[in-house]
Amino acid sequence: MTEGRQHDSNREPVSREPTARGPHAREPVAVVGMAGRFPGARDVDALWRVLAEGRETLTRFAPDELCPSIPARRREHPDYVPVRGVVEGAFEFDAAYFRMTPREAEIMDPQQRLVLEAAVQALDDAGLDPARFDGDVGVWCGKGTSEYLVHNVLGHRELIEHYGTFPTEIATEKDHVATRVAYELDLRGPAVSVNTACSTSLLAVNLAVDALRMRRCDAALAGGVCIHSPLNRGYLAGQGGSASLDGHLRPFDAEATGTVFSSGLGLVVLKRLDDALRDGDHVRAVILGVGVNNNGALPASFMGPSAEGQAETVRRALDDAGVSARSVSYVESHGTATLEGDPVEVDALARAFRRDTDDRGFCAMSSVKGNLGHLDAAGGVAGLIKTVLCLEHELLPATANYRAPNPAIDFEASPFFVVDRATPWPRGEEPRRAGVSAFGIGGTNAHTLVEEAPVPEPSGPSRPVQLLVQSAHGAASLDAASARLASWLGDRVDTLGPNETADVAATLRTGRRQLAHRRFALGEDARELARALADPGAERCVTAVAPPTPPKVAFVFPGQGAQYVAMGSGLYAIEPDFRAHVDECAELLRPHLDGDLRDVLLAGDVTTDNLRQTRLTQPAVFVVEYALAKLWETWGVRPDVLVGHSIGQYVAACLAGVFPLEDALAVVARRGALMQELPPGTMLSVRLPEEELLPLLGDEVSLAAVNAPSLCVASGPAGAVDALADVLGERGVACRRLDTSHAFHSSMMEPMVGPFAEFLAGFELGAPRIPVLDTTTGRPLGADEARDPMSWARHVREPVRFADAVATLWEEPSRVVLEVGPGRTAATLARQQLKQPATQAVVSSLLETPDAEAECRALLHALGRVWLHGVEVDWAAFQRHERRRKVSVPGTCFTGTRHWLPPVGEAAGDFATGDAAGGGVAGAASAPHAATAPTDAHAIGGAAAPAAPHATTPDA
């Protein structure tokens, strides 16, 4: 080491060939999501506004605004500068979201807490729900020293003893920031806590890039955090240190006197570029290359910078990217504004670039630290996020606090110039590229080569109505998220076309965690969706709380009488899966109907007489219900039990495997034809219980159905049924004639029982693979009954005991009854017997509205209702026929409350002296006496003041 300190820092680097690497060494990696909290900016969008406006967001505290725990002797010191960058609401945390108790939350280092929330928001921005992601998500993250432990926690000894010293250590140590995220979000890739002072977060990004290239994970969260405590404090700007004398951080400026430390955090979500493009991700930028090294013993002191070491890092990133330095048009520098650091950094960059070019003044440079201050462990990722935003907005904002160049920097002879005004940075024939630098005390350097995102392929057309879903862990969070999304959509009604609106809806469906408090909205465009979200509780915006476990689903198929003209024609036009099943059925029915059922089913001008012909009606009802059931199953909604009313029971049997589809269609067609040949009859709906209706029927009229406990259907010859209606009218009993051609389920069906049984005997029937409730008994259909042709033949004659079947359904306490077919009759009947409204629900698929938009809206409303009640929906399958792109849409709204232990005594405040040495400030005073300057202990190489013994000793 002694010899190392004597090394000539200006010696030329050793010539070497690029290191041989694996087949994925230069594989580009996409930035697909970002989140952060910064001084003066609660999120990434707000950060861009700060940058674009060139604002400095440091806070200058009045004397009465400083934390009382700071000793008066320090606050009143003539060199005390009451300035710092503060993260608004740093003491707030949504403990309930992460299932933490308030005690756990207030013990935990706020750096860990805020990283948890930022991780959720970054994944939201990426449209990546880890629970549904087909791959492993890794975490690379670092944080600053836990000043909160020293200042706020250690003084509360009784609290620590009650909570436990080992749990307290875990909640505050640097080691656990990445693993905490992995645990709370159930991420299964590598979880690595990274700590190299001020290069921490950019090094975390570079390590994540390498891991993605080596297939150690398929997506990665990377970044860092630094939250100071006390929040409202300044620093001592002693001579010989690196802290700014006037409280302003002036990168590369002639008046720069040092750095100002701030709080902040940032995370990015990364995926391999090919994977991101395949998945339709919102690629915000592309990382082409990464470089990492250490200065070794080149600097004069451990804290000093090295131009040679930094230059080698930049060269490594260029080599890794396989590009020339001449193609780089911007560098987001470390730029701490220290007297030694900035000149060394420009010298290092020039050395690296001179290997490829002698051109001057072609590359812009700046530093986000002029706006925000130095975010310590989060500084590098803040620079990366800024660079991505610059690429997206095609603008290089002016460098905050820059007026004239530092005379110690020879910009004229270098490739660089400082961005002194907002400068357009448009796309051109060649891709725009930028470098991002971060250097840490101790000499670990990181450089990242970033390129503009490829121009995305446009998304494709979608349904005429969009289903937008939101979920949250609580009602307040859901309302806040809806209000924010409504505002976001409202601001974009003129820019979001139909395809872009569909992209927004798709992102929310597939890229968000599915939580209990749920809401959906329907709309044709962004304006209608915004209005719907702004008015929760309206028909087009429905809210519910899903049960802890998904409910059981019953498919209920209505019978003849529910049909309407052109039923299903709208879905046929817009739903490829529905259309495919209808087409398959229509082709199989051709020999049985002597024609194409679609000519009747889909014709918008067909007369109602066609659908009153039983030989056509029954196959039509079957086909629509079967195709609709298969569509629901495609979307992941699958039944645990099937119920069919009359002809609907054949759909249930087919789906359960009793009949193959081809046989089921032949049977249904024959059934309808045989019924068509019988004499006409009439059916009458009567609002009486079965036991009161039976004595009034006489010999000619039969009990055809018991649809509800006090709702039955009588069936028979027209004259006899008319006479019954007169009797009922005289007694004041409500009754209504049904629009049917025959007296189904009555004695008038007897002539077809034998021929139908004979026809059925020619088919091989099977046992149900999914339970089917037999509506002649209301109980499950047995294997022997299912295989018996006569039981199916008698089905046309026996009364339909639909009410008994529904009662069986409601024996399941957590149940969604989904009517799969036209109209809402079956759902209305089922709802009359519902027992537990909190955990049971009834949903209709279609209403009597055949046009495409109306049927689409009805079906999507049903899908939204099913999802609200906790049924798992395969949203990827729902949109599998569309070309959708993920977009950056507002995500989770946390409802944080204060979790912040007050500091005890002046000892903690005395520790908060200043940040003059800086945990990674390039050029943080290389002279030996720098270590004795008035500085913050935490800032020197990341070392903390000694903690109390019990704070680091496990209870065990």
Side-chain angles (χ1 to χ4, degrees):
M1 288 299 297
T2 303
E3 293 179 359
R5 289 194 179 94
Q6 296 173 350
H7 285 177
D8 179 4
S9 62
N10 293 314
R11 69 181 173 86
E12 291 301 316
V14 176
S15 176
R16 64 166 68 91
E17 293 295 324
T19 304
R21 304 183 66 187
H24 304 294
R26 289 182 176 174
E27 187 172 17
V29 170
V31 179
V32 297
M34 303 193 300
R37 301 275 297 277
F38 312 94
R42 290 192 68 99
D43 55 36
V44 169
D45 289 341
L47 173 62
W48 177 249
R49 291 192 291 272
V50 167
L51 297 172
E53 295 167 8
R55 286 189 283 123
E56 177 190 83
T57 57
L58 302 177
T59 300
R60 187 171 295 269
F61 303 105
D64 60 351
E65 292 175 330
L66 290 167
C67 180
S69 68
I70 301 172
R73 65 181 182 279
R74 190 159 304 281
R75 294 198 304 268
E76 295 168 3
H77 192 286
D79 292 334
Y80 192 78
V81 182
V83 174
R84 187 168 298 267
V86 176
V87 169
E88 182 184 352
F91 49 78
E92 296 174 352
F93 179 60
D94 196 336
Y97 183 94
F98 298 98
R99 304 171 303 281
M100 291 185 191
T101 65
R103 177 57 48 82
E104 287 179 286
E106 68 180 1
I107 289 286
M108 184 177 290
D109 187 338
Q111 297 178 105
Q112 288 196 30
R113 300 191 318 224
L114 295 186
V115 158
L116 284 174
E117 293 186 347
V120 172
Q121 291 167 332
L123 291 170
D124 281 353
D125 187 61
L128 193 158
D129 175 11
R132 292 179 287 173
F133 180 61
D134 186 19
D136 289 333
V137 181
V139 186
W140 283 262
C141 186
K143 75 179 186 72
T145 299
S146 183
E147 297 176 351
Y148 182 74
L149 169 67
V150 176
H151 299 161
N152 301 65
V153 177
L154 291 182
H156 298 268
R157 296 184 180 274
E158 291 184 2
L159 181 61
I160 295 172
E161 291 173 3
H162 176 77
Y163 185 68
T165 55
F166 190 43
T168 300
E169 178 184 357
I170 290 174
T172 54
E173 277 283 2
K174 288 184 175 185
D175 295 2
H176 309 298
V177 62
T179 50
R180 175 73 68 179
V181 172
Y183 174 76
E184 296 295 344
L185 302 187
D186 192 21
L187 308 180
R188 307 298 178 89
V192 182
S193 295
V194 181
N195 295 109
T196 57
C198 294
S199 60
T200 290
S201 57
L202 196 63
L203 175 60
V205 171
N206 291 1
L207 293 174
V209 168
D210 284 339
L212 285 163
R213 288 169 164 178
M214 290 185 286
R215 271 50 183 177
R216 290 178 177 166
C217 59
D218 303 288
L221 274 164
V225 59
C226 180
I227 302 295
H228 295 290
S229 177
L231 294 172
N232 293 9
R233 82 174 203 243
Y235 58 89
L236 280 177
Q239 296 297 322
S242 58
S244 170
L245 299 178
D246 61 1
H248 296 288
L249 195 156
R250 308 175 189 275
F252 311 109
D253 190 75
E255 297 182 8
T257 60
T259 201
V260 178
F261 277 87
S262 296
S263 295
L265 69 148
L267 290 173
V268 294
V269 180
L270 308 176
K271 290 176 70 175
R272 292 180 287 272
L273 178 60
D274 287 347
D275 292 351
L277 295 175
R278 177 201 64 204
D279 297 340
D281 290 330
H282 177 202
V283 178
R284 308 190 70 155
V286 177
I287 295 177
L288 292 182
V290 296
V292 178
N293 74 345
N294 190 276
N295 295 330
L298 291 173
S301 76
F302 179 76
M303 294 189 297
S306 165
E308 181 180 337
Q310 293 178 17
E312 179 61 22
T313 304
V314 177
R315 282 191 288 264
R316 290 184 181 187
L318 290 166
D319 290 340
D320 187 46
V323 301
S324 166
R326 188 60 181 85
S327 70
V328 178
S329 54
Y330 174 69
V331 171
E332 173 63 25
S333 67
H334 192 57
T336 56
T338 56
L339 299 180
E340 183 180 6
D342 282 8
V344 168
E345 180 174 6
V346 176
D347 179 26
L349 285 165
R351 292 189 190 197
F353 275 48
R354 285 291 179 244
R355 185 188 65 174
D356 298 335
T357 179
D358 292 325
D359 291 352
R360 302 180 181 184
F362 65 87
C363 185
M365 69 186 307
S366 184
S367 173
V368 73
K369 294 178 178 65
N371 305 92
L372 309 179
H374 190 348
L375 305 189
D376 202 343
V381 75
L384 175 62
I385 290 172
K386 172 193 170 180
T387 303
V388 173
L389 292 171
C390 290
L391 287 165
E392 287 184 328
H393 292 275
E394 302 187 17
L395 179 72
L396 294 174
T399 305
N401 295 325
Y402 178 80
R403 299 294 179 269
N406 185 333
I409 302 173
D410 187 3
F411 281 112
E412 292 295 328
S414 81
F416 309 104
F417 64 92
V418 179
V419 184
D420 59 358
R421 69 198 67 180
T423 305
W425 195 24
R427 284 182 179 267
E429 293 183 3
E430 298 297 324
R432 294 166 298 155
R433 294 180 181 140
V436 182
S437 292
F439 311 124
I441 278 183
T444 295
N445 307 308
H447 191 78
T448 307
L449 224 297
V450 185
E451 184 177 273
E452 66 185 25
V455 177
E457 292 186 11
S459 54
S462 183
R463 297 171 176 88
V465 178
Q466 293 304 320
L467 171 61
L468 187 151
V469 302
Q470 288 186 294
S471 70
H473 64 293
S477 179
L478 180 60
D479 287 343
S482 292
R484 187 169 66 171
L485 182 57
S487 176
W488 186 87
L489 289 168
D491 291 341
R492 291 162 174 79
V493 293
D494 295 326
T495 58
L496 288 176
N499 294 353
E500 291 76 22
T501 303
D503 289 341
V504 171
T507 300
L508 292 169
R509 289 191 298 261
T510 62
R512 295 288 189 271
R513 187 178 174 190
Q514 309 282 284
L515 300 172
H517 290 258
R518 300 184 174 189
R519 176 171 293 153
F520 76 85
L522 294 175
E524 295 179 37
D525 52 30
R527 179 175 280 103
E528 185 180 359
L529 288 169
R531 289 174 177 171
L533 288 171
D535 186 21
E539 176 65 19
R540 58 187 178 181
C541 186
V542 188
T543 305
V545 180
T549 57
K552 300 290 184 65
V553 177
F555 280 7
V556 176
F557 303 96
Q560 188 172 345
Q563 70 275 4
Y564 55 86
V565 175
M567 62 179 175
S569 59
L571 295 186
Y572 186 88
I574 64 174
E575 293 293 346
D577 291 311
F578 181 86
R579 181 167 58 251
H581 291 297
V582 170
D583 288 344
E584 180 186 17
C585 292
E587 293 301 323
L588 292 172
L589 279 168
R590 278 185 184 275
H592 306 291
L593 299 181
D594 296 325
D596 192 332
L597 181 66
R598 287 166 291 194
D599 294 339
V600 175
L601 188 62
L602 305 176
D605 58 350
V606 70
T607 66
T608 56
D609 287 338
N610 284 337
L611 284 180
R612 292 192 65 191
Q613 296 181 49
T614 298
R615 71 178 189 89
L616 297 176
T617 305
Q618 293 194 4
V621 170
F622 179 98
V623 168
V624 169
E625 293 180 358
Y626 174 83
L628 191 53
K630 300 302 286 186
L631 181 61
W632 278 110
E633 288 182 345
T634 298
W635 294 347
V637 181
R638 296 180 173 85
D640 73 294
V641 65
L642 302 160
V643 181
H645 193 294
S646 191
I647 190 65
Q649 185 154 326
Y650 290 81
V651 185
C654 178
L655 292 170
V658 176
F659 300 100
L661 177 61
E662 185 173 3
D663 293 354
L665 290 167
V667 167
V668 167
R670 183 62 174 166
R671 183 180 189 265
L674 289 172
M675 287 183 175
Q676 183 82 41
E677 296 170 0
L678 296 174
T682 301
M683 303 184 77
L684 185 73
S685 177
V686 182
R687 193 162 292 283
L688 279 179
E690 176 185 357
E691 61 272 17
E692 295 183 29
L693 177 60
L694 286 175
L696 305 177
L697 296 181
D699 295 334
E700 293 185 275
V701 181
S702 303
L703 177 69
V706 182
N707 287 330
S710 296
L711 185 63
C712 298
V713 176
S715 182
V721 172
D722 288 344
L724 174 63
D726 291 340
V727 171
L728 293 170
E730 293 173 358
R731 299 189 178 191
V733 177
C735 59
R736 179 175 62 86
R737 288 174 178 80
L738 302 181
D739 186 17
T740 61
S741 59
H742 293 76
F744 306 123
H745 301 283
S746 74
S747 58
M748 294 185 74
M749 298 289 106
E750 283 289 353
M752 69 164 285
V753 172
F756 190 41
E758 184 178 348
F759 180 77
L760 284 162
F763 297 92
E764 184 177 349
L765 308 181
R769 294 192 295 268
I770 303 172
V772 175
L773 297 187
D774 185 355
T775 46
T776 63
T777 65
R779 307 306 300 176
L781 180 68
D784 292 340
E785 296 170 291
R787 294 190 181 100
D788 181 10
M790 183 52 73
S791 72
W792 289 100
R794 295 298 302 173
H795 182 265
V796 304
R797 167 66 182 87
E798 299 298 326
V800 177
R801 297 193 173 275
F802 186 70
D804 293 340
V806 168
T808 300
L809 290 179
W810 292 137
E811 292 174 2
E812 172 61 51
S814 182
R815 163 80 71 197
V816 170
V817 169
L818 178 60
E819 182 175 25
V820 182
R824 61 176 77 185
T825 302
T828 301
L829 296 173
R831 195 173 289 110
Q832 293 180 28
Q833 298 187 64
L834 189 145
K835 294 180 179 180
Q836 302 179 45
T839 57
Q840 296 175 334
V842 183
V843 179
S844 295
S845 296
L846 296 176
L847 306 179
E848 295 183 6
T849 47
D851 68 273
E853 181 182 326
E855 281 198 336
C856 178
R857 188 178 288 267
L859 185 59
L860 295 189
H861 190 275
L863 182 60
R865 290 284 305 278
V866 164
W867 176 78
L868 281 187
H869 290 290
V871 177
E872 294 182 0
V873 175
D874 187 344
W875 294 115
F878 172 74
Q879 58 201 45
R880 70 190 181 103
H881 294 291
E882 302 179 11
R883 188 173 67 252
R884 299 266 64 84
R885 292 179 53 240
K886 294 177 184 175
V887 293
S888 182
V889 186
T892 302
C893 283
F894 292 106
T895 52
T897 55
R898 185 181 180 90
H899 296 283
W900 195 269
L901 292 171
V904 176
E906 285 197 350
D910 198 38
F911 181 62
T913 56
D915 294 277
V921 178
S926 59
H929 69 270
T932 62
T935 65
D936 266 357
H938 83 277
I940 303 177
H950 67 270
T952 55
T953 304
D955 287 340

